Amino acid sequence: TVSGQNSNNSIRVTDAFMSAVETDGDWRTYMRTNGQVCDTYKARDLWRKLERFERAGACYEQQWDAALAGEMFRESADLPRAAACFERGGRFADAAACWAETGDRAREAELLERAGDMLRAGQLLHGLGRTDDAIKVLQRVTPESADFTTASARLGEIFRARGQHSWPREGN
């Protein structure tokens, strides 16, 4: 109806309810008139009924709200689609986390680098056997960064494993 178009059709979701969703616990609804238990539900089942995340994600995606679409797709467990939305929205760390959950470490490393997390990106690349790429990324950790000492140590390990105990001198 026209009168319902501008209404707020939201519900209040408490921390207690979200905790019950996380643990797949029971959730009780109560009568407003006398406070007695009306019904008991599995919290996760109720949560899924309250919001159809994938459909909501598609709606947000059509409205060009990449961040909210990404959140909805992540909740619906469509991680590649969530990652794509987060990436479009410039939320590279969130996109990387989605790829991490799917097991695509190379894509995760690429997006961590775009997010500016050079240490984690470099460590992932090194773990994938992409040592030259790892070196390039780890060398981008600045001395002002809290990660500089760890990145330097990782670079030292990589160079020692290659038999390079010092930087090559110019002209050699």
Side-chain angles (χ1 to χ4, degrees):
T1 66
V2 173
S3 64
Q5 287 179 355
N6 293 322
S7 65
N8 181 356
N9 297 314
S10 62
I11 60 168
R12 184 178 307 261
V13 178
T14 65
D15 288 341
F17 176 74
M18 291 309 297
S19 179
V21 169
E22 288 174 359
T23 62
D24 200 23
D26 289 336
W27 187 255
R28 292 178 185 82
T29 58
Y30 297 89
M31 302 291 287
R32 289 187 60 194
T33 53
N34 60 16
Q36 292 181 346
V37 174
C38 178
D39 274 311
T40 302
Y41 303 91
K42 284 306 238 179
R44 280 190 190 155
D45 293 341
L46 185 56
W47 179 242
R48 294 292 180 219
K49 288 179 183 177
L50 291 173
E51 180 66 71
R52 300 287 186 227
F53 294 110
E54 190 169 352
R55 194 166 59 211
C59 288
Y60 287 127
E61 199 172 34
Q62 288 177 344
Q63 297 169 18
W64 295 97
D65 192 332
L68 281 174
E71 295 291 349
M72 295 298 107
F73 290 131
R74 180 168 38 198
E75 287 295 327
S76 74
D78 187 348
L79 297 174
R81 199 166 175 191
C85 288
F86 285 136
E87 189 173 354
R88 265 196 314 276
R91 290 177 52 183
F92 302 118
D94 287 321
C98 290
W99 289 117
E101 287 186 55
T102 68
D104 189 340
R105 298 294 184 218
R107 191 76 174 113
E108 177 189 4
E110 177 187 332
L111 288 160
L112 284 171
E113 183 179 357
R114 289 182 72 187
D117 192 341
M118 301 305 165
L119 178 62
R120 284 181 47 213
Q123 289 175 325
L124 273 171
L125 290 166
H126 180 61
L128 291 169
R130 293 174 50 189
T131 307
D132 290 338
D133 292 332
I135 290 169
K136 289 174 187 169
V137 171
L138 289 168
Q139 287 176 333
R140 292 176 50 204
V141 176
T142 63
E144 298 79 27
S145 169
D147 294 333
F148 184 73
T149 302
T150 305
S152 297
R154 177 60 58 153
L155 283 166
E157 292 169 11
I158 292 170
F159 289 129
R160 279 190 298 281
R162 289 178 154 192
Q164 294 173 289
H165 299 288
S166 64
W167 290 100
R169 292 190 180 149
E170 201 170 305
N172 288 344

